[in-house]
Amino acid sequence: MQGNPEANESMEPGSGTPGAPPSSEAAAAVERSIRRTEVAPSPSPNKRRSWEAKYTATERGWMTTRILPAPTFHAGRPISDPQAEMAPRLLKSMGNLDIISHKDRCDSQASHDGHNPQTTAPRRRASVTLTPYLSAPERMDHSSGLSFSPCSPVCLCSNKLPLAPSIQPSMDQKSVSCGLGKGCPWLIGLLGEGLRCMGSVAELCQEALNHAGELLAAEGATLSLVRKVYDGGSDLEEVIALTAIGCNQAHQKQLQGVMELVLATGSPINLRDAHKDPRFKVDSDQRSTIRTVLGVPLMNHKREVFGVVIMVNKRNGSGYHSAFTTVDEKVLSNHMDVLGMVLENIQLYESSRQEAKRSQALVEMAQVLSKKHHSFEVLLSKMAATIMPFTHAQYCTIFIPSDLNSVSKDQIVFSCVIHLECEELGATCQIYRREHDISDIDPSHACQTMIAMETLNMAKSTVESERSIICCPVRNERSENVIAVCQLMNKRTRDSDELEPFNRYDERLLEDLGVYCGLALQYAHTVKITEARRASIEVTEEVLAYHITAAEQDIKALQEAPIPSAESLNILDFRFSDFGLPEDATTQATVRMFLDLNLLQDFNIDYKSLCQWVLTVRRGYRSNVPYHNWSHALSTAQSMFAMLMATDQLQSIFSRLEILALMIATLNHDIDHRGVSNSYIERSQQPLAQLYGHSSLENHHYNLCIFILNNTGSQILSGLSVEDQRAVLHMIKRAILATNLNVYMQRRGEFISLGEKSWVNWRSEKQRDLLRSMLMTASDLSAITKPWPEQKRIANLVAMEFFAQGDKEREEFKTKPIDIMDRENSTRLPYMQVEYIDEICFPLYKAVSKLFDSCSPLLNACERNRKNWLLLAEGTQGEKLEDHCSLRLETHRNEEEETARGREQLKQD
């Protein structure tokens, strides 16, 4: 908000005696202005909605190529809290002060100050093709509107300053009179009117020097403030030039030594006769009109010097030069203590305001980064457009080198240049991206930044046109390589077209932009790699689908072949063995299982799709794996089929979807098995372990099962509803993961306890899930229940696979494998088989037999094979084994007869 014009006029230079108290009319005007500014209304809802609508239109404009009208960012939200306009009291400063110069202005922000913008004509630019990108808040350079909390007037000449950082020894007030009454008019005006009438820090300092100069009867004064430079050092920057009569720039240089001495010592210096004092250096060929000099430091509350004030040529009542007195020194020190406090608070406010601007810019850049963009150029352009209004830069350019991995000092080629221009349109500014004709953009400073790998600020360049350029490297967080360069150019003020150097706040904002640009480039690079890998995966899946899918002639042969009965294939018998069975007969046996379970009719499975699916699953097993191959998959599926067909009890417990899931799971539970265990895959850090983390093989089997089910022509679940497909896939996954023996050992105790119960509630999904898991393991381990010759043959195949893994572990890991995989323990195979039966197999088949009597042949066969392995282990196999074989054949015939009688009895029932 603007103050009262009458109050502003009362404080203009030349309107009255400097330092004189304001008139009653002016004071009343100032009081009215203060009352108006302390209680300001919040923006109306209509204006807020209008702003939001325009901002939304701008956001949509990012994603289109149409040129949209530039929305206005209104910066006129006044402060509703009266305390927000009160300058902070004496606060702790953070680090050394960097007082802004007379060219700096307290840039008003939308969230802090109100402002009535003045319309300015747009600057003329070269005619180029432009695309609008962002409308930004109007740049406003005017006083920050600070004021101090009211307090009782204090005479600065009394040495009793409650707010002064340093308390000097008290003196008699009469001996140190201000000369203008009991109160200090400068302080009264400062406390009453605040800084609203001060257009800049320079004007504030000028008012203080005018008042102090009157008190001390000095001819002239000068004030310089400490300025931080970009190399980490500091120097004095002139804020108020020497104004004494007859003094010029040469006299200012003569005072430089005195100012530096005050700055170094932090103490006042009083030169009663400058020409005779060695601290005042004048060349022999120079004449100086400076007779007396008084210099005092400006200090913050930490007693750190951040400025120096010099008074020259005190005149007495007769108009002659006289020396500055001790009282003059104390009066000037007291005034400068208050001025130092004011300047420190201004700097604290400016720092907090700049931090607020920086936080706002960071939030906006984070919001831009979090959104989806169709190209990284658009993403970088949006982030660059975010900081341009805050830095007042006319141009922002992002240079991306062609080779991100190396930077050649001889020649740097930029593959992408993103150039944005800010165009002032009256009270607003609009940012465009130049898409064509960027040949005139000078990349020399970006090349220097690429080579130096550090921020480059041309503020001290000898070439005036280069002083308003700053470049910042964009780094890769991992490699610390420079992957791009951000450049700001032409910082302008609102009042003129003069170029200013970028300050440290601009530098920090640009470095923040560099960080976000680095994240954006890495994100774009990651997306590019991800897209390439996704495409590679799709190609790999396409190749896999082609090679894993059965040939059309094989599918047609199986489709047209007559499928033998289950009895002729012997797949109803727990003693089934595919050893010696033709390969075509194995797939026909699989089809027969689905036919006899009536799955094709229940789930509308296309017969040709079933044939292709069975043949594709068979091709998914590796033929070079001794045991975990298609033969094992068929044996596992046959065991599940035999248990389901042995009695109607299991089929009545399970739903039709559960039976379908079990049959699919048994055929796919070891597909693409590599002949090694999960522990070996994890120890060797194979991709499967990195992909799944645990149960690597089982998860891989399931995913390949899903891949085949989704393969064109093998979609046997296409007749199911979406809900049924989701349910059956969930059960398939649970069933395949249950074949991990670790999972079995964790759940075995719960299943055995079910066998001890007189009644089990099979309606419970939890109980049925446990039963499905245990039946999967029982089918997977059913090789231990096969007739003795078949069991011994399979045991040798398992040992061959285990010993091969043990050899790999011995060679790769330089460690001794466990006993069952150690080839040196091959003679202990019978003992290990007995342990395997006792610890793994027998408890499972015993529990299954207790729950379902029809599965008792599995338990009986397991016990017989244990006896055979035990005899073999004890070395008494010999003729006893032959006798046992004869007994086994006779027992086998008896079991067949008992099974036939049992089936006849079931049919009669």
Side-chain angles (χ1 to χ4, degrees):
M1 296 179 60
Q2 295 289 340
N4 192 322
E6 297 176 3
N8 291 337
E9 292 175 1
S10 66
M11 293 302 293
E12 289 181 359
S15 61
T17 305
S23 65
S24 59
E25 294 181 359
V30 170
E31 184 178 359
R32 289 193 300 269
S33 176
I34 294 174
R35 284 198 297 267
R36 280 197 295 268
T37 56
E38 285 181 347
V39 181
S42 60
S44 64
N46 294 334
K47 290 184 178 180
R48 185 181 297 114
R49 285 194 296 269
S50 174
W51 184 89
E52 292 172 352
K54 292 178 179 179
Y55 183 80
T56 305
T58 304
E59 288 299 303
R60 289 195 299 268
W62 281 102
M63 306 306 296
T64 64
T65 57
R66 294 178 298 172
I67 299 180
L68 301 179
T72 302
F73 281 62
H74 298 285
R77 285 191 293 174
I79 300 173
S80 59
D81 185 4
Q83 297 297 329
E85 290 198 27
M86 307 302 289
R89 293 177 182 267
L90 189 59
L91 303 174
K92 293 183 178 180
S93 64
M94 302 176 64
N96 295 328
L97 292 175
D98 183 15
I99 300 298
I100 53 180
S101 67
H102 64 286
K103 292 183 180 180
D104 292 324
R105 297 292 186 267
C106 298
D107 182 17
S108 181
Q109 220 175 345
S111 60
H112 288 79
D113 304 307
H115 176 248
N116 292 327
Q118 297 178 358
T119 304
T120 58
R123 299 191 182 100
R124 294 183 179 180
R125 300 283 198 283
S127 177
V128 292
T129 303
L130 299 174
T131 301
Y133 256 81
L134 183 66
S135 291
E138 169 197 3
R139 304 178 186 176
M140 294 175 294
D141 294 330
H142 65 285
S143 173
S144 49
L146 294 176
S147 63
F148 284 90
S149 301
C151 58
S152 58
V154 180
C155 180
L156 294 177
C157 313
S158 65
N159 267 335
K160 296 181 180 180
L161 294 176
L163 296 179
S166 175
I167 304 300
Q168 303 289 343
S170 61
M171 298 182 62
D172 184 23
Q173 182 177 353
K174 293 182 180 180
S175 61
V176 197
S177 175
C178 183
L180 295 174
K182 293 183 179 180
C184 178
W186 174 69
L187 180 59
I188 292 175
L190 189 64
L191 294 178
E193 301 176 6
L195 304 181
R196 295 183 183 88
C197 299
M198 300 297 175
S200 66
V201 171
E203 294 179 20
L204 172 65
C205 295
Q206 185 68 64
E207 291 291 333
L209 290 190
N210 289 344
H211 177 65
E214 288 184 3
L215 297 180
L216 272 61
E219 284 187 352
T222 181
L223 184 146
S224 298
L225 297 177
V226 175
R227 179 187 63 178
K228 289 183 179 179
V229 294
Y230 299 101
D231 56 2
S234 60
D235 58 10
L236 283 171
E237 179 180 6
E238 179 183 298
V239 178
I240 304 298
L242 187 62
T243 57
I245 299 175
C247 293
N248 51 33
Q249 191 66 25
H251 296 89
Q252 182 77 28
K253 293 182 179 179
Q254 294 172 3
L255 295 174
Q256 187 68 26
V258 179
M259 300 180 75
E260 292 177 354
L261 189 58
V262 174
L263 181 64
T265 61
S267 301
I269 292 180
N270 191 349
L271 305 184
R272 299 180 183 274
D273 190 347
H275 289 270
K276 296 181 180 180
D277 197 304
R279 293 172 292 184
F280 185 72
K281 298 179 181 180
V282 182
D283 295 338
S284 58
D285 58 343
Q286 288 183 341
R287 295 183 58 187
S288 178
T289 60
I290 298 177
R291 305 300 178 185
T292 58
V293 178
L294 175 60
V296 297
L298 286 169
M299 294 186 178
N300 59 21
H301 76 284
K302 292 183 178 181
R303 310 307 297 165
E304 297 170 343
V305 181
F306 65 86
V308 177
V309 174
I310 298 292
M311 292 286 179
V312 299
N313 294 351
K314 177 179 176 66
R315 289 189 175 273
N316 54 24
S318 303
Y320 296 100
H321 293 133
S322 62
F324 289 100
T325 65
T326 304
V327 174
D328 295 334
E329 179 181 325
K330 294 184 180 297
V331 169
L332 182 59
S333 296
N334 285 341
H335 281 77
M336 294 306 106
D337 282 344
V338 174
L339 179 61
M341 180 186 67
V342 173
L343 292 178
E344 181 182 12
N345 279 271
I346 290 175
Q347 177 61 19
L348 289 174
Y349 172 79
E350 177 68 13
S351 298
S352 64
R353 196 178 60 84
Q354 294 288 354
E355 287 301 319
K357 289 170 54 178
R358 178 170 178 257
S359 300
Q360 180 182 349
L362 292 176
V363 170
E364 291 180 5
M365 284 190 289
Q367 291 175 347
V368 170
L369 186 61
S370 64
K371 296 178 181 178
K372 186 177 180 181
H373 308 280
H374 64 271
S375 69
F376 79 94
E377 291 91 348
V378 173
L379 174 59
L380 294 180
S381 299
K382 286 186 178 183
M383 290 194 295
T386 301
I387 73 163
M388 292 183 69
F390 294 100
T391 59
H392 296 180
Q394 184 180 359
Y395 305 111
C396 181
T397 310
I398 300 176
F399 299 88
I400 303 176
S402 58
D403 186 5
L404 300 180
N405 298 320
S406 63
V407 177
S408 173
K409 295 184 178 181
D410 300 330
Q411 183 180 7
I412 299 177
V413 179
F414 295 104
S415 61
C416 180
V417 177
I418 300 173
H419 183 72
L420 277 73
E421 298 183 4
C422 181
E423 182 86 15
E424 288 192 359
L425 302 173
T428 64
C429 63
Q430 193 168 24
I431 297 174
Y432 296 88
R433 176 186 171 193
R434 188 195 294 186
E435 297 181 347
H436 307 287
D437 191 19
I438 59 175
S439 58
D440 60 330
I441 299 175
D442 183 14
S444 59
H445 298 96
C447 294
Q448 295 179 32
T449 305
M450 290 283 296
I451 297 172
M453 300 180 66
E454 60 183 14
T455 301
L456 175 65
N457 195 326
M458 304 297 294
K460 288 191 173 183
S461 174
T462 57
V463 182
E464 185 176 355
S465 60
E466 294 183 351
R467 291 176 184 172
S468 191
I469 296 177
I470 183 173
C471 295
C472 173
V474 178
R475 301 179 184 274
N476 186 315
E477 291 185 355
R478 294 184 178 180
S479 62
E480 291 297 324
N481 294 331
V482 178
I483 58 178
V485 174
C486 297
Q487 174 180 287
L488 294 178
M489 186 174 177
N490 291 6
K491 180 178 181 179
R492 297 182 181 271
T493 62
R494 179 176 178 81
D495 299 333
S496 65
D497 287 341
E498 295 181 3
L499 300 181
E500 292 187 1
F502 290 97
N503 57 33
R504 63 189 181 96
Y505 295 109
D506 302 327
E507 185 175 326
R508 290 182 63 187
L509 277 175
L510 185 61
E511 290 174 349
D512 293 335
L513 174 63
V515 172
Y516 278 90
C517 285
L519 294 175
L521 287 174
Q522 293 180 51
Y523 170 76
H525 184 61
T526 302
V527 169
K528 184 177 180 181
I529 293 176
T530 303
E531 293 295 334
R533 290 180 177 175
R534 181 182 292 111
S536 176
I537 291 174
E538 291 178 356
V539 172
T540 303
E541 290 179 349
E542 182 182 355
V543 174
L544 176 61
Y546 174 79
H547 288 282
I548 201 175
T549 303
E552 187 65 30
Q553 58 269 25
D554 295 336
I555 300 173
K556 185 177 181 180
L558 179 59
Q559 182 182 0
E560 296 177 353
I563 305 300
S565 64
E567 290 77 6
S568 61
L569 291 170
N570 201 30
I571 56 178
L572 293 172
D573 196 340
F574 288 114
R575 294 167 298 183
F576 168 81
S577 173
D578 67 326
F579 183 70
L581 199 65
E583 192 175 48
D584 294 341
T586 60
T587 55
Q588 293 173 6
T590 305
V591 173
R592 173 51 63 186
M593 297 178 198
F594 277 75
L595 291 174
D596 285 3
L597 288 171
N598 204 31
L599 297 177
L600 276 72
Q601 293 80 359
D602 291 345
F603 300 106
N604 193 25
I605 299 175
D606 180 70
Y607 186 71
K608 180 181 180 181
S609 298
L610 176 66
C611 295
Q612 178 176 328
W613 176 77
V614 171
L615 292 171
T616 303
V617 170
R618 186 185 69 179
R619 291 172 64 91
Y621 281 88
R622 303 192 179 194
S623 59
N624 61 340
V625 177
Y627 173 66
H628 291 96
N629 48 36
W630 168 246
S631 177
H632 170 64
L634 177 62
S635 178
T636 304
Q638 183 273 330
S639 297
M640 179 66 71
F641 173 76
M643 286 188 288
L644 291 172
M645 297 295 291
T647 176
D648 293 336
Q649 188 177 3
L650 283 175
Q651 293 198 44
S652 62
I653 291 175
F654 293 133
S655 66
R656 302 302 297 166
L657 272 179
E658 289 174 300
I659 294 176
L660 176 64
L662 287 173
M663 293 304 301
I664 294 175
T666 51
L667 283 171
N668 290 269
H669 81 284
D670 273 331
I671 191 170
D672 196 41
H673 200 288
R674 284 89 190 284
V676 293
S677 63
N678 282 324
S679 61
Y680 176 82
I681 291 176
E682 293 172 3
R683 290 184 64 185
S684 57
Q685 297 181 352
Q686 294 186 11
L688 281 181
Q690 298 175 359
L691 183 61
Y692 301 111
H694 65 89
S695 297
S696 302
L697 284 171
E698 287 75 20
N699 279 289
H700 176 60
H701 303 327
Y702 168 73
N703 284 334
L704 191 54
C705 170
I706 298 301
F707 175 78
I708 295 175
L709 287 172
N710 290 326
N711 192 21
T712 303
S714 301
Q715 299 169 342
I716 61 174
L717 301 181
S718 60
L720 278 66
S721 64
V722 176
E723 293 77 10
D724 287 345
Q725 286 188 21
R726 187 181 298 111
V728 76
L729 291 179
H730 174 72
M731 289 186 288
I732 291 173
K733 183 175 184 178
R734 295 277 299 175
I736 293 178
L737 293 178
T739 58
N740 188 332
L741 287 181
N742 291 330
V743 177
Y744 160 70
M745 296 300 292
Q746 293 172 4
R747 307 188 68 182
R748 184 178 64 176
E750 183 182 358
F751 183 70
I752 292 175
S753 64
L754 290 181
E756 305 296 334
K757 296 181 180 180
S758 58
W759 180 79
V760 180
N761 180 19
W762 295 117
R763 294 182 179 179
S764 169
E765 172 59 28
K766 179 181 178 181
Q767 305 292 11
R768 294 203 313 278
D769 177 71
L770 179 62
L771 177 59
R772 292 195 300 267
S773 299
M774 292 299 110
L775 292 184
M776 283 293 299
T777 304
S779 301
D780 191 19
L781 305 180
S782 62
I784 202 68
T785 66
K786 299 302 178 182
W788 171 247
E790 182 68 9
Q791 154 61 194
K792 191 175 181 180
R793 183 184 69 85
I794 295 176
N796 288 329
L797 294 176
V798 174
M800 185 187 305
E801 189 173 301
F802 283 1
F803 291 157
Q805 177 178 331
D807 295 340
K808 293 180 181 179
E809 292 179 353
R810 192 188 305 274
E811 180 181 356
E812 296 177 11
F813 308 140
K814 309 301 180 185
T815 58
K816 184 179 180 181
I818 59 178
D819 290 344
I820 61 174
M821 296 185 180
D822 191 356
R823 193 177 298 275
E824 297 177 358
N825 293 332
S826 59
T827 57
R828 298 191 66 253
L829 178 60
Y831 290 100
M832 291 187 289
Q833 284 294 101
V834 173
E835 293 176 358
Y836 168 66
I837 293 173
D838 291 342
E839 295 177 5
I840 305 296
C841 304
F842 184 78
L844 173 62
Y845 291 119
K846 182 179 180 181
V848 172
S849 299
K850 283 187 176 181
L851 290 170
F852 309 102
D853 294 337
S854 60
C855 298
S856 57
L858 296 172
L859 176 63
N860 298 332
C862 181
E863 290 177 337
R864 288 195 300 270
N865 286 327
R866 181 188 183 280
K867 293 178 182 178
N868 288 334
W869 285 115
L870 186 59
L871 292 174
L872 191 61
E874 294 174 351
T876 58
Q877 190 68 16
E879 55 183 67
K880 289 186 177 180
L881 183 59
E882 294 179 0
D883 295 341
H884 182 74
C885 289
S886 300
L887 292 173
R888 180 184 60 79
L889 293 175
E890 183 177 354
T891 305
H892 178 60
R893 296 191 189 96
N894 295 334
E895 288 178 352
E896 286 183 345
E897 294 176 359
E898 292 177 1
T899 302
R901 287 196 297 270
R903 288 178 179 171
E904 291 295 331
Q905 185 66 30
L906 288 173
K907 290 180 180 179
Q908 294 177 3
D909 295 341

